[in-house]
Each structure stands twice: as C-alpha cells, then as structure tokens.
C-alpha cells in the first residue's frame, strides 16, 4: 500500500478548525460538569428505599444508557422543538443531550461504587461515631 497522505485541504482552514475545537471543548467541559453533578443526585435517588423515587430514576438511567447518544442529540435538536414548540440555542441543546447521557452513566458508576463498600466498613464507621 503506497498511500500518500495529502493535507493540503487544511491550508487556510485553521481558523475554522480552531473554532470547531473551541466549541467541542466547551461542550465536553460543560456536559461533563452537568453529568457529574446530576449523576450523583440521580445515584442517591436510585439507592432510595422508596419506590416512587427509585423507579423514575431507574427508568431515566435505562432510557439514556440504552439509546445511542447520537440519536439522543438528534432528538433533542430536531424533535423537542417540533413536539413541544420550545426553541433553544443549539449549543444549549447539545449540552443538555450530552449532559443527560453522561448523568445516566455517572449515576450507574456512583451507584456501583457506593454498593461496593463492604457492610463491615459501614458498621465500623457507625461504631466510631462517624
């Protein structure tokens, strides 16, 4: 295979690429913050002993973990404005779609971490008054 890489198409387009990189980093940073914060709250809801708190949280997690993120982005960008007559900035919709997806994945990671703590550690912390 004697393929020669040709990057001549990049000449003069570095400004557009830089703008795209900035938008990508903004989306990643803000949606990760949203996912981390809301994921912890959703984790606490899934660990609740009350069914009416636990069930909607589990349904949210199952929905957002079992559908592809690209499908969620398309639904948020195209279907939410059509169905609910709500028109929001595309960057905000992207942050919302990615943030809710990351919320579901982080909630499951937090839940697994909380449930991985042995009961002996919890008993020891109660005995120490913590």
């Amino acid at each position: 295979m004697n393929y020669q890489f040709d990057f001549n198409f990049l000449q003069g387009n570095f400004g557009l690429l830089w703008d795209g990189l900035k938008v990508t980093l903004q989306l990643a940073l803000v949606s990760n913050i949203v996912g981390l914060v809301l994921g912890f709250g959703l984790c606490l809801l899934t660990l609740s002993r009350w069914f009416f708190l636990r069930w909607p949280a589990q349904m949210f997690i199952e929905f957002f973990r079992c559908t592809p993120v690209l499908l969620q982005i398309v639904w948020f960008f195209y279907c939410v404005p059509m169905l609910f007559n709500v028109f929001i900035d595309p960057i905000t919709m992207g942050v919302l779609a990615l943030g809710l997806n990351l919320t579901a994945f982080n909630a499951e990671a937090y839940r697994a971490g909380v449930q991985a703590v042995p009961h002996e550690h919890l008993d020891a912390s109660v005995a120490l008054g913590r």
Side-chain angles (χ1 to χ4, degrees), residues 7-14:
F7 292 107
N8 290 330
F9 67 92
L10 291 176
Q11 291 177 346
N13 291 326
F14 281 113

Side-chain angles (χ1 to χ4, degrees), residues 22-128:
K22 287 192 292 189
V23 170
T24 301
L25 292 176
Q26 287 173 347
L27 280 171
L29 181 68
V30 175
S31 62
N32 273 309
I33 291 171
V34 168
L36 288 171
V37 172
L38 293 180
F40 185 71
L42 194 62
C43 164
L44 295 177
L45 288 175
T46 59
L47 294 174
S48 174
R49 69 180 79 179
W50 294 303
F51 179 75
F52 62 89
L53 291 177
R54 188 177 59 241
W55 184 77
Q58 289 173 339
M59 291 298 106
F60 176 88
I61 290 171
E62 290 301 317
F63 175 77
F64 277 97
R65 286 187 69 213
C66 294
T67 55
V69 68
L70 189 57
L71 180 69
Q72 294 168 11
I73 292 170
V74 168
W75 267 85
F76 271 85
F77 190 75
Y78 290 112
C79 297
V80 167
M82 286 191 296
L83 292 174
F84 302 110
N85 203 21
V86 174
F87 299 96
I88 301 174
D89 181 42
I91 299 296
T92 307
M93 288 298 250
V95 165
L96 188 62
L98 290 172
L100 291 177
N101 182 276
L102 287 169
T103 296
F105 279 95
N106 285 333
E108 279 296 296
Y110 291 148
R111 183 197 54 77
V114 168
Q115 289 181 338
V117 175
H119 290 288
E120 292 81 16
H121 290 208
L122 297 174
D123 294 338
S125 65
V126 170
L128 291 173

Side-chain angles (χ1 to χ4, degrees), residues 3-21:
Y3 185 77
Q4 298 291 326
F5 290 106
D6 184 19
F7 292 107
N8 290 330
F9 67 92
L10 291 176
Q11 291 177 346
N13 291 326
F14 281 113
L16 292 173
L17 289 172
W18 184 252
D19 292 341
L21 179 65

